[in-house]
mmCIF file of all heavy atoms in Angstrom:
data_model
loop_
_atom_site.group_PDB
_atom_site.id
_atom_site.type_symbol
_atom_site.label_atom_id
_atom_site.label_comp_id
_atom_site.label_asym_id
_atom_site.label_seq_id
_atom_site.Cartn_x
_atom_site.Cartn_y
_atom_site.Cartn_z
ATOM 1 N N VAL A 10 174.838 -76.718 -206.281
ATOM 2 C CA VAL A 10 175.091 -76.545 -207.706
ATOM 3 C C VAL A 10 173.922 -75.768 -208.284
ATOM 4 O O VAL A 10 172.761 -76.052 -207.979
ATOM 5 C CB VAL A 10 175.233 -77.907 -208.427
ATOM 6 C CG1 VAL A 10 175.260 -77.725 -209.935
ATOM 7 C CG2 VAL A 10 176.486 -78.623 -207.961
ATOM 8 N N SER A 11 174.217 -74.774 -209.082
ATOM 9 C CA SER A 11 173.188 -74.028 -209.820
ATOM 10 C C SER A 11 173.204 -74.532 -211.253
ATOM 11 O O SER A 11 174.239 -74.490 -211.921
ATOM 12 C CB SER A 11 173.453 -72.529 -209.788
ATOM 13 O OG SER A 11 173.310 -72.043 -208.474
ATOM 14 N N ILE A 12 172.056 -75.051 -211.690
ATOM 15 C CA ILE A 12 171.917 -75.608 -213.034
ATOM 16 C C ILE A 12 171.095 -74.634 -213.865
ATOM 17 O O ILE A 12 169.961 -74.302 -213.488
ATOM 18 C CB ILE A 12 171.205 -76.979 -213.001
ATOM 19 C CG1 ILE A 12 171.950 -77.941 -212.077
ATOM 20 C CG2 ILE A 12 171.075 -77.544 -214.407
ATOM 21 C CD1 ILE A 12 171.159 -79.190 -211.732
ATOM 22 N N TYR A 13 171.649 -74.149 -214.973
ATOM 23 C CA TYR A 13 170.945 -73.236 -215.877
ATOM 24 C C TYR A 13 170.460 -74.045 -217.075
ATOM 25 O O TYR A 13 171.228 -74.814 -217.657
ATOM 26 C CB TYR A 13 171.872 -72.120 -216.343
ATOM 27 C CG TYR A 13 172.312 -71.218 -215.215
ATOM 28 C CD1 TYR A 13 173.435 -71.522 -214.454
ATOM 29 C CD2 TYR A 13 171.596 -70.065 -214.908
ATOM 30 C CE1 TYR A 13 173.836 -70.698 -213.405
ATOM 31 C CE2 TYR A 13 171.998 -69.229 -213.869
ATOM 32 C CZ TYR A 13 173.116 -69.564 -213.126
ATOM 33 O OH TYR A 13 173.507 -68.741 -212.091
ATOM 34 N N PHE A 14 169.205 -73.869 -217.440
ATOM 35 C CA PHE A 14 168.631 -74.679 -218.511
ATOM 36 C C PHE A 14 167.551 -73.905 -219.261
ATOM 37 O O PHE A 14 166.976 -72.944 -218.746
ATOM 38 C CB PHE A 14 168.041 -75.976 -217.943
ATOM 39 C CG PHE A 14 166.913 -75.743 -216.973
ATOM 40 C CD1 PHE A 14 165.599 -75.777 -217.396
ATOM 41 C CD2 PHE A 14 167.172 -75.483 -215.643
ATOM 42 C CE1 PHE A 14 164.556 -75.558 -216.513
ATOM 43 C CE2 PHE A 14 166.139 -75.267 -214.753
ATOM 44 C CZ PHE A 14 164.830 -75.310 -215.186
ATOM 45 N N GLN A 15 167.299 -74.333 -220.495
ATOM 46 C CA GLN A 15 166.189 -73.820 -221.288
ATOM 47 C C GLN A 15 165.090 -74.863 -221.255
ATOM 48 O O GLN A 15 165.348 -76.048 -221.477
ATOM 49 C CB GLN A 15 166.605 -73.569 -222.731
ATOM 50 C CG GLN A 15 167.518 -72.386 -222.891
ATOM 51 C CD GLN A 15 167.886 -72.166 -224.344
ATOM 52 O OE1 GLN A 15 168.146 -73.114 -225.071
ATOM 53 N NE2 GLN A 15 167.917 -70.911 -224.753
ATOM 54 N N GLY A 16 163.891 -74.410 -220.980
ATOM 55 C CA GLY A 16 162.757 -75.323 -220.938
ATOM 56 C C GLY A 16 161.496 -74.591 -221.370
ATOM 57 O O GLY A 16 161.523 -73.402 -221.684
ATOM 58 N N SER A 17 160.415 -75.306 -221.344
ATOM 59 C CA SER A 17 159.135 -74.714 -221.728
ATOM 60 C C SER A 17 158.595 -73.851 -220.584
ATOM 61 O O SER A 17 158.996 -74.008 -219.427
ATOM 62 C CB SER A 17 158.125 -75.814 -222.059
ATOM 63 O OG SER A 17 157.786 -76.521 -220.868
ATOM 64 N N GLU A 18 157.684 -72.968 -220.928
ATOM 65 C CA GLU A 18 157.033 -72.150 -219.897
ATOM 66 C C GLU A 18 156.279 -73.038 -218.919
ATOM 67 O O GLU A 18 156.187 -72.737 -217.732
ATOM 68 C CB GLU A 18 156.103 -71.116 -220.529
ATOM 69 C CG GLU A 18 156.839 -69.990 -221.246
ATOM 70 C CD GLU A 18 157.761 -69.199 -220.331
ATOM 71 O OE1 GLU A 18 157.368 -68.866 -219.186
ATOM 72 O OE2 GLU A 18 158.896 -68.901 -220.754
ATOM 73 N N GLY A 19 155.735 -74.153 -219.418
ATOM 74 C CA GLY A 19 155.040 -75.091 -218.545
ATOM 75 C C GLY A 19 155.975 -75.688 -217.494
ATOM 76 O O GLY A 19 155.593 -75.843 -216.331
ATOM 77 N N LEU A 20 157.193 -76.012 -217.890
ATOM 78 C CA LEU A 20 158.177 -76.545 -216.948
ATOM 79 C C LEU A 20 158.548 -75.483 -215.922
ATOM 80 O O LEU A 20 158.623 -75.773 -214.726
ATOM 81 C CB LEU A 20 159.423 -77.037 -217.692
ATOM 82 C CG LEU A 20 160.579 -77.523 -216.830
ATOM 83 C CD1 LEU A 20 160.150 -78.675 -215.918
ATOM 84 C CD2 LEU A 20 161.755 -77.934 -217.706
ATOM 85 N N TYR A 21 158.764 -74.253 -216.391
ATOM 86 C CA TYR A 21 159.097 -73.176 -215.466
ATOM 87 C C TYR A 21 157.978 -72.975 -214.443
ATOM 88 O O TYR A 21 158.234 -72.817 -213.250
ATOM 89 C CB TYR A 21 159.345 -71.863 -216.212
ATOM 90 C CG TYR A 21 160.559 -71.854 -217.118
ATOM 91 C CD1 TYR A 21 160.676 -70.911 -218.120
ATOM 92 C CD2 TYR A 21 161.594 -72.775 -216.986
ATOM 93 C CE1 TYR A 21 161.783 -70.871 -218.955
ATOM 94 C CE2 TYR A 21 162.696 -72.753 -217.814
ATOM 95 C CZ TYR A 21 162.790 -71.796 -218.793
ATOM 96 O OH TYR A 21 163.881 -71.758 -219.618
ATOM 97 N N LEU A 22 156.746 -72.985 -214.910
ATOM 98 C CA LEU A 22 155.604 -72.806 -214.015
ATOM 99 C C LEU A 22 155.518 -73.948 -213.009
ATOM 100 O O LEU A 22 155.310 -73.721 -211.815
ATOM 101 C CB LEU A 22 154.309 -72.710 -214.831
ATOM 102 C CG LEU A 22 153.023 -72.541 -214.031
ATOM 103 C CD1 LEU A 22 153.034 -71.230 -213.251
ATOM 104 C CD2 LEU A 22 151.820 -72.588 -214.964
ATOM 105 N N TYR A 23 155.692 -75.173 -213.474
ATOM 106 C CA TYR A 23 155.645 -76.338 -212.599
ATOM 107 C C TYR A 23 156.699 -76.231 -211.489
ATOM 108 O O TYR A 23 156.401 -76.411 -210.304
ATOM 109 C CB TYR A 23 155.848 -77.617 -213.411
ATOM 110 C CG TYR A 23 155.970 -78.850 -212.567
ATOM 111 C CD1 TYR A 23 154.843 -79.446 -212.014
ATOM 112 C CD2 TYR A 23 157.219 -79.424 -212.316
ATOM 113 C CE1 TYR A 23 154.960 -80.587 -211.226
ATOM 114 C CE2 TYR A 23 157.337 -80.562 -211.534
ATOM 115 C CZ TYR A 23 156.205 -81.135 -210.993
ATOM 116 O OH TYR A 23 156.322 -82.253 -210.201
ATOM 117 N N LEU A 24 157.939 -75.936 -211.873
ATOM 118 C CA LEU A 24 159.010 -75.840 -210.878
ATOM 119 C C LEU A 24 158.783 -74.683 -209.920
ATOM 120 O O LEU A 24 159.045 -74.807 -208.713
ATOM 121 C CB LEU A 24 160.368 -75.694 -211.580
ATOM 122 C CG LEU A 24 160.847 -76.940 -212.314
ATOM 123 C CD1 LEU A 24 162.078 -76.623 -213.146
ATOM 124 C CD2 LEU A 24 161.130 -78.076 -211.339
ATOM 125 N N ASP A 25 158.289 -73.570 -210.435
ATOM 126 C CA ASP A 25 158.015 -72.423 -209.576
ATOM 127 C C ASP A 25 156.960 -72.777 -208.528
ATOM 128 O O ASP A 25 157.124 -72.479 -207.345
ATOM 129 C CB ASP A 25 157.557 -71.232 -210.419
ATOM 130 C CG ASP A 25 157.416 -69.965 -209.594
ATOM 131 O OD1 ASP A 25 158.339 -69.666 -208.803
ATOM 132 O OD2 ASP A 25 156.385 -69.284 -209.726
ATOM 133 N N GLN A 26 155.906 -73.435 -208.958
ATOM 134 C CA GLN A 26 154.839 -73.796 -208.021
ATOM 135 C C GLN A 26 155.290 -74.856 -207.018
ATOM 136 O O GLN A 26 154.909 -74.812 -205.861
ATOM 137 C CB GLN A 26 153.617 -74.294 -208.784
ATOM 138 C CG GLN A 26 152.902 -73.189 -209.526
ATOM 139 C CD GLN A 26 151.752 -73.702 -210.360
ATOM 140 O OE1 GLN A 26 151.664 -74.888 -210.676
ATOM 141 N NE2 GLN A 26 150.868 -72.798 -210.741
ATOM 142 N N ARG A 27 156.081 -75.822 -207.454
ATOM 143 C CA ARG A 27 156.509 -76.903 -206.562
ATOM 144 C C ARG A 27 157.608 -76.476 -205.587
ATOM 145 O O ARG A 27 157.604 -76.888 -204.443
ATOM 146 C CB ARG A 27 157.016 -78.091 -207.376
ATOM 147 C CG ARG A 27 155.981 -78.745 -208.240
ATOM 148 C CD ARG A 27 154.993 -79.518 -207.437
ATOM 149 N NE ARG A 27 155.670 -80.674 -206.862
ATOM 150 C CZ ARG A 27 155.091 -81.576 -206.127
ATOM 151 N NH1 ARG A 27 153.825 -81.483 -205.862
ATOM 152 N NH2 ARG A 27 155.772 -82.580 -205.645
ATOM 153 N N LEU A 28 158.555 -75.666 -206.050
ATOM 154 C CA LEU A 28 159.708 -75.342 -205.214
ATOM 155 C C LEU A 28 159.603 -73.997 -204.505
ATOM 156 O O LEU A 28 160.268 -73.792 -203.496
ATOM 157 C CB LEU A 28 160.990 -75.367 -206.058
ATOM 158 C CG LEU A 28 161.320 -76.722 -206.690
ATOM 159 C CD1 LEU A 28 162.564 -76.602 -207.548
ATOM 160 C CD2 LEU A 28 161.492 -77.789 -205.629
ATOM 161 N N ASN A 29 158.813 -73.090 -205.032
ATOM 162 C CA ASN A 29 158.744 -71.755 -204.450
ATOM 163 C C ASN A 29 157.393 -71.469 -203.814
ATOM 164 O O ASN A 29 157.091 -70.329 -203.508
ATOM 165 C CB ASN A 29 159.030 -70.695 -205.517
ATOM 166 C CG ASN A 29 160.413 -70.859 -206.121
ATOM 167 O OD1 ASN A 29 161.302 -71.432 -205.520
ATOM 168 N ND2 ASN A 29 160.585 -70.375 -207.331
ATOM 169 N N ALA A 30 156.582 -72.493 -203.629
ATOM 170 C CA ALA A 30 155.248 -72.301 -203.059
ATOM 171 C C ALA A 30 155.359 -71.759 -201.631
ATOM 172 O O ALA A 30 156.192 -72.190 -200.851
ATOM 173 C CB ALA A 30 154.476 -73.615 -203.060
ATOM 174 N N VAL A 31 154.507 -70.809 -201.360
ATOM 175 C CA VAL A 31 154.438 -70.224 -200.026
ATOM 176 C C VAL A 31 153.128 -70.714 -199.407
ATOM 177 O O VAL A 31 152.080 -70.646 -200.035
ATOM 178 C CB VAL A 31 154.453 -68.683 -200.094
ATOM 179 C CG1 VAL A 31 154.319 -68.093 -198.715
ATOM 180 C CG2 VAL A 31 155.715 -68.215 -200.774
ATOM 181 N N ASN A 32 153.236 -71.200 -198.197
ATOM 182 C CA ASN A 32 152.033 -71.664 -197.514
ATOM 183 C C ASN A 32 151.348 -70.498 -196.828
ATOM 184 O O ASN A 32 151.861 -69.947 -195.855
ATOM 185 C CB ASN A 32 152.385 -72.741 -196.485
ATOM 186 C CG ASN A 32 152.911 -73.991 -197.134
ATOM 187 O OD1 ASN A 32 152.444 -74.359 -198.203
ATOM 188 N ND2 ASN A 32 153.879 -74.635 -196.515
ATOM 189 N N PHE A 33 150.209 -70.106 -197.366
ATOM 190 C CA PHE A 33 149.417 -69.043 -196.772
ATOM 191 C C PHE A 33 148.330 -69.665 -195.918
ATOM 192 O O PHE A 33 147.717 -70.660 -196.305
ATOM 193 C CB PHE A 33 148.765 -68.181 -197.863
ATOM 194 C CG PHE A 33 149.762 -67.380 -198.657
ATOM 195 C CD1 PHE A 33 150.109 -67.761 -199.936
ATOM 196 C CD2 PHE A 33 150.358 -66.261 -198.114
ATOM 197 C CE1 PHE A 33 151.024 -67.040 -200.683
ATOM 198 C CE2 PHE A 33 151.280 -65.527 -198.835
ATOM 199 C CZ PHE A 33 151.612 -65.919 -200.117
ATOM 200 N N PRO A 34 148.030 -69.071 -194.753
ATOM 201 C CA PRO A 34 146.942 -69.609 -193.956
ATOM 202 C C PRO A 34 145.608 -69.406 -194.669
ATOM 203 O O PRO A 34 145.413 -68.418 -195.379
ATOM 204 C CB PRO A 34 147.010 -68.796 -192.654
ATOM 205 C CG PRO A 34 147.819 -67.592 -192.979
ATOM 206 C CD PRO A 34 148.688 -67.936 -194.147
ATOM 207 N N ILE A 35 144.725 -70.359 -194.513
ATOM 208 C CA ILE A 35 143.410 -70.272 -195.132
ATOM 209 C C ILE A 35 142.491 -69.476 -194.218
ATOM 210 O O ILE A 35 142.385 -69.772 -193.014
ATOM 211 C CB ILE A 35 142.821 -71.675 -195.376
ATOM 212 C CG1 ILE A 35 143.738 -72.443 -196.333
ATOM 213 C CG2 ILE A 35 141.399 -71.607 -195.905
ATOM 214 C CD1 ILE A 35 143.351 -73.890 -196.516
ATOM 215 N N ALA A 36 141.869 -68.446 -194.766
ATOM 216 C CA ALA A 36 140.964 -67.605 -193.983
ATOM 217 C C ALA A 36 139.725 -68.402 -193.625
ATOM 218 O O ALA A 36 139.202 -69.181 -194.413
ATOM 219 C CB ALA A 36 140.564 -66.365 -194.765
ATOM 220 N N SER A 37 139.229 -68.211 -192.413
ATOM 221 C CA SER A 37 138.023 -68.937 -192.009
ATOM 222 C C SER A 37 136.834 -68.011 -191.904
ATOM 223 O O SER A 37 136.900 -66.851 -191.936
ATOM 224 C CB SER A 37 138.244 -69.638 -190.674
ATOM 225 O OG SER A 37 138.725 -68.743 -189.714
#
């Protein structure tokens, strides 16, 4: 299901970071 909603920029940022995070290797 695709849910379309209006929210705050803070909510958009939170969801983007939690659901779309890419794991990059840490340089040593």
Side-chain angles (χ1 to χ4, degrees):
V10 170
S11 293
I12 304 167
Y13 295 87
F14 62 95
Q15 289 181 319
S17 68
E18 289 300 317
L20 176 58
Y21 294 161
L22 179 63
Y23 173 78
L24 290 171
D25 187 46
Q26 289 176 341
R27 296 288 291 182
L28 298 177
N29 300 337
V31 177
N32 294 324
F33 292 104
I35 299 173
S37 52

